[in-house]
Amino acid sequence: MDERRFRKRSLFLVLYLVFAILPVYWMVNMSFKTNEEILSTFSLWPLHFTTDHYRTIFTDVSWYSGYINSLIYVAINVVISLLVALPAAYAFSRYQFIGDKHVFFWLLTNRMTPPAVFLLPFFQLYTTLGLMDTHIAVALAHLLFNVPLAVWILEGFMSGVPREIDETAYIDGYSFPRFFLTIFIPLIKAGVGVAAFFCFMFSWVELLMARTLTSVNAKPIVATMTRTVSASGMDWGVLAAAGVLTIVPGAIVIYFVRNYIAKGFAMGRV
Amino acid sequence: MKAVNQKAWLLILPVVLCVAFSAILPLMTVVNYSVQDIISPERRVFVGTEWFKAVMRDDDLIGALGRQIVFSLAVLAVEIPLGIALALAMPAKGWQSSAVLVLVAISLLIPWNVVGTIWQIYGRTDIGLLGASLAALGIDYNYTGNALDAWLTVLVMDVWHWTPLVALLCYAGLRAIPDAYYQAASIDGASKFAVFRYIQLPKMRGVLMIAVLLRFMDSFMIYTEPFVLTGGGPGNATTFLSQYLTQKAVGQFDLGPAAAFSLIYFLIILLLCFILYNWMQRVGTADKEPGHG
Amino acid sequence: MARIELDLAHAYRANPQRDEDYALLPLKMCFEDGGAYALLGPSGCGKTTLLNIVSGLVTPSQGHVTYDGRDVTGLSPQQRNIAQVFQFPVIYDTMTVAENLAFPLRNRGVPEERIRQRVGQVAEMLDLSGQLGMRAAGLAADAKQKISLGRGLVREDVSAVLFDEPLTVIDPHLKWQLRRKLKQIHHELKLTLIYVTHDQVEALTFAQQVMVMTRGRAVQVGTASELFERPSHTFVGHFIGSPGMNFLQGRGHAGGIEIAGRLLAAPTESLARLPDFTLGVRPEHVQLVAADTAGAIPGVIMQAQDIGTSWLVTARVGSGLNESLLRARLGAEQAIPRVGDTQWLSVVGEHTCYYVNEELIA
């Protein structure tokens, strides 16, 4: 009886994985075909394998700078998000103070705000500050939704650490910064990993704000690709190759945090 | 219990400042615009609630709102059960669990415009696998011309894109259940369904709440993927709220109405999420139980 | 109620070559119908594995398990009709106490009227009657463990109740209450009970027969007094008792035995002929005697602790390679020696045990 159920589940899993991977595979497939082949014939794998499109991306500065720009502002954002979220999450987890529940909910509401609402104000704000078209602008703008999420996730993990550990450290004479850095953070490593993963994820994939706040210098890859789309005569091959390359950093990140994700979620907000 | 300590405000100050900078300032700007008629940068007229009234009477807005609600509900109806089913099917141990985890999570890490692009290509009958297959089966499929096809494609794209989030959250919830529960259930003679209903589902309550909240919020704000896939078409068949707002703000540069609408949009989401949040809190800590066997 | 017989071994891998490959070295054991047994040993000794084999959660790699003569080795726990209580309370959060208790019966299709009766009876026995309508999730840990136990007792034909360190998460001041309750239930229902623990006090007070295990081996099965008086393995001597047995190296000589550098009369002929053996004597049986008494050795007192009802005296005996520590438990009414004094302590007596290669020989 278990055998049958096992096979049903495996079948379902396999079907889903096929469903999940097929569109990605199709894009990978296209990225290795020449444009002529894409438009003329239809095949499940490239008949004339070519790496031309990838070469274009790696050599054309307007393309590869897009990736570098994205990586820069995402990295800045993740670092800042974690830096401000860690003490705040600790405060929410350990203390009661005036307005604590309200502030927590207010933070969450920022995650709920449609970015479209802030498009114009952001545009004007950053223009006024002279920060238009900089990496820091996008990094700061993304703080809007990443910081609340980081606080939410980290607070969940921190609540799982018994307060006795804090008290023991104080009795042992640790100052707060030293306790926090050398004892506490290692205990919530998984939580930091999960929070960093989500901040990376949501910042890397966000389009609207990233496109609005940049033009040339800090133009992220997501914007470069949409430019291609709206131009006449679509270069499908390069587009596909660019798409494939945007998945690479994500796949690497998730490979590194894969152990934390399952363990991490479990210890967190459950 | 937690210690009462007002000095904790120092710890949360950086967060409050960051988010206030990113949120309150722009919000004030939006409020500002929503009550003024900006004929030109120099000439602004205070018009009070006029924009709000105009927006509420706007048929296009009501249409977009209706479409948005249907879309979000459909998304939840498909992604939550599918995500749970997927989490139950994913292996718990071994190299297979890591491999499946990475494969499942890939769609989450694709920039949203690329998601739109992938499906844009995928659904085309000339160069896309899905489109060509459907055409080969004799089905008349055209997501740019046919409203229903466009809807279904956008829905399937979202399911493809975001079900893994629900699945990963549920997967983590499942991994947290100690073996002893399954052993005890086996000893008690519980059927597989009873195990799901009385052990797995209750223990996933926490993560499911997060999943429903996140998916609802995000689907209500969806912009990029449908924009890239269908551009909101055909006509305005797949124009949801965010796109409607952006069209008004950036496209038509009608700052006043756009700002007014922004506020209403924000408040709608806020209200719905507040209700959802409280409802789920109540389910989580309920002393009374609705129905049991 | 069932009589359970075991004749098995359990290995980690398919072709076990050495002792380390086994989780459970070959053993034979019989749990009599209605008896209370304890599996006692340190972490990792295999007691939980053995329990799971008895319950059916684990299938032994070799050998079989029989219930009342019936081979159940391939059967699931459900099919064997056993009940198991785990280290932490396992309850169905969404159900009330009554529903939790009723669950196993409902799954078996027992009529509602009978279910209500049984649930009432079991709740009565476990002092849970007042809480039947409450949600199980909101109760304290000891109540939850009682519910876990109750789910096992509610089935009338349960063959045995197995406990895997069930008091681990219970507050210390509630532990003894639960232990008493367990003994009471055993007395009333006459069920076969098997209790796994690493706490010797729990084991010795609960069980009629205790099986001491270490590193996959069942080293001795016996009553509390048997284990105390005649441990058949040095591990049992060391593990049981607080503090455990004293062990001194000994050698056979012509005409006698040498203990801690001192030549003493040999209690038996055979001992004098052994090149090497270990002498074991419990602190309770080590006494202060006059100098040069037969069977006594001198020692320098290192420590004298007042532990309430008695004194624990630690002495250094022997010298050089032979040096060891000897502990003696003295009654409060005796003269307590001072630290630094040299005293004579009797080690050879009727309670002394002798071991070769850790096994009891005399």
Side-chain angles (χ1 to χ4, degrees), chain A residues 208-222:
Chain A
L208 203 48
M209 289 198 227
R211 193 180 56 169
T212 312
L213 295 175
T214 61
S215 49
V216 180
N217 293 327
K219 201 173 189 60
I221 184 60
V222 290

Side-chain angles (χ1 to χ4, degrees), chain B residues 219-261:
Chain B
S219 73
F220 217 76
M221 301 194 281
I222 198 173
Y223 174 77
T224 317
E225 300 98 306
F227 177 67
V228 172
L229 179 65
T230 60
N236 60 3
T238 55
T239 304
F240 303 118
L241 279 181
S242 267
Q243 199 184 344
Y244 179 72
L245 171 60
T246 315
Q247 273 172 357
K248 257 212 146 29
V250 179
Q252 302 165 359
F253 226 72
D254 258 341
L255 293 184
F261 172 52

Side-chain angles (χ1 to χ4, degrees), chain B residues 37 39 96 117 120 130 182 217 279 288:
Chain B
D37 188 357
I39 303 169
Q96 297 102 318
T117 309
Q120 190 183 25
L130 178 69
Y182 295 109
M217 294 193 306
W279 178 64
K288 36 186 171 30

Side-chain angles (χ1 to χ4, degrees), chain A residues 56-244:
Chain A
T56 311
I57 296 182
F58 282 121
T59 50
D60 184 349
V61 74
S62 65
W63 275 106
Y64 68 69
S65 64
Y67 290 104
I68 298 180
N69 288 331
S70 292
L71 282 173
I72 294 179
Y73 71 66
V74 169
I76 299 178
N77 177 273
V78 171
V79 168
I80 301 182
S81 294
L82 289 178
L83 277 179
V84 300
L86 277 167
Y90 185 78
F92 283 117
S93 155
R94 294 300 194 236
Y95 301 120
Q96 279 179 330
F97 45 92
I98 303 177
D100 53 1
K101 289 204 197 8
H102 302 97
V103 174
F104 198 69
F105 185 68
W106 170 70
L107 279 181
L108 238 46
T109 62
N110 290 297
R111 173 75 182 61
M112 297 178 210
T113 322
V117 166
F118 288 164
L119 219 47
L120 225 37
F122 268 3
F123 190 83
Q124 297 184 326
L125 176 67
Y126 285 102
T127 314
T128 319
L129 289 176
L131 285 177
M132 277 301 288
D133 201 24
T134 58
H135 302 104
I136 192 81
V138 186
L140 288 178
H142 284 179
L143 287 179
L144 173 71
F145 47 78
N146 270 348
V147 166
L149 194 62
V151 170
W152 194 19
I153 293 177
L154 287 170
E155 194 270 338
F157 282 90
M158 291 183 178
S159 296
V161 176
R163 226 147 284 144
E164 283 74 32
I165 297 195
D166 303 25
E167 289 157 15
T168 315
Y170 294 144
I171 294 175
D172 284 347
Y174 280 80
S175 66
F176 180 71
R178 197 168 144 226
F179 152 72
F180 201 68
L181 289 171
T182 58
I183 299 183
F184 199 67
I185 292 192
L187 284 173
I188 51 162
K189 251 187 344 213
V192 175
V194 172
F197 168 70
F198 273 109
C199 289
F200 173 88
M201 189 182 121
F202 282 114
S203 185
W204 177 253
V205 302
E206 203 276 334
L207 171 78
L208 203 48
M209 289 198 227
R211 193 180 56 169
T212 312
L213 295 175
T214 61
S215 49
V216 180
N217 293 327
K219 201 173 189 60
I221 184 60
V222 290
T224 317
M225 284 180 68
T226 48
R227 177 177 54 88
T228 313
V229 169
S230 51
S232 55
M234 287 203 232
D235 193 345
W236 290 114
V238 175
L239 188 64
V244 170

Side-chain angles (χ1 to χ4, degrees), chain B residues 201-235:
Chain B
L201 204 52
K203 295 241 175 272
M204 286 199 290
R205 222 174 1 217
V207 283
L208 270 179
M209 166 176 140
I210 299 180
V212 170
L213 250 185
L214 277 181
R215 281 317 303 139
F216 182 76
M217 294 193 306
D218 288 345
S219 73
F220 217 76
M221 301 194 281
I222 198 173
Y223 174 77
T224 317
E225 300 98 306
F227 177 67
V228 172
L229 179 65
T230 60

